[in-house]
Amino acid sequence: MTRLEQLQKEYTDNLAALKDITAKRSADGTFPADVQEQIRKANEDCARIMSEMETERILEQRLKEEVLLEFHNRPEQTSTTAGKREINYDTVFWRHMQRSNS
């Protein structure tokens, strides 16, 4: 599991907990002080997780850009023939990029 996937799970869990916390309204529709504190903390956690998720997304994008830059700056293509089909670096690279985006 990637760090981004871990953060997404943590965010989903935190939202579920926040939903449970907000169900603790008193009869007049307000929240007791301890529940208000739990809500504040859960909201802070959500903001922190969202920030970390954005950082991870940017990092993943930078790594992909680095791979693309290396690809475009490679000195030459290498290829091999497997049976009747020619397999070259471009084909393998783009298949890999398509799978990693899924």
Side-chain angles (χ1 to χ4, degrees), residues 59-69 93 97 100-101:
L59 177 60
E60 283 184 5
Q61 183 62 37
R62 296 290 181 257
L63 292 173
K64 287 179 183 179
E65 290 170 359
E66 181 181 7
V67 169
L68 283 172
L69 186 61
F93 174 81
M97 290 304 291
S100 65
N101 287 334

Side-chain angles (χ1 to χ4, degrees), residues 4 7 49-59:
L4 185 56
L7 288 168
I49 294 167
M50 288 298 290
S51 176
E52 287 182 36
M53 286 170 57
E54 184 61 25
T55 300
E56 287 297 319
R57 284 187 189 108
I58 291 169
L59 177 60

Side-chain angles (χ1 to χ4, degrees), residues 16-65:
L18 184 58
K19 192 175 186 180
D20 290 342
I21 292 168
T22 57
K24 298 178 182 177
R25 288 184 192 270
S26 30
D28 63 359
T30 61
F31 294 106
D34 64 323
V35 174
Q36 288 177 0
E37 181 61 24
Q38 290 174 346
I39 292 171
R40 184 194 61 75
K41 183 174 178 341
N43 283 324
E44 286 175 359
D45 287 345
C46 281
R48 175 191 55 81
I49 294 167
M50 288 298 290
S51 176
E52 287 182 36
M53 286 170 57
E54 184 61 25
T55 300
E56 287 297 319
R57 284 187 189 108
I58 291 169
L59 177 60
E60 283 184 5
Q61 183 62 37
R62 296 290 181 257
L63 292 173
K64 287 179 183 179
E65 290 170 359

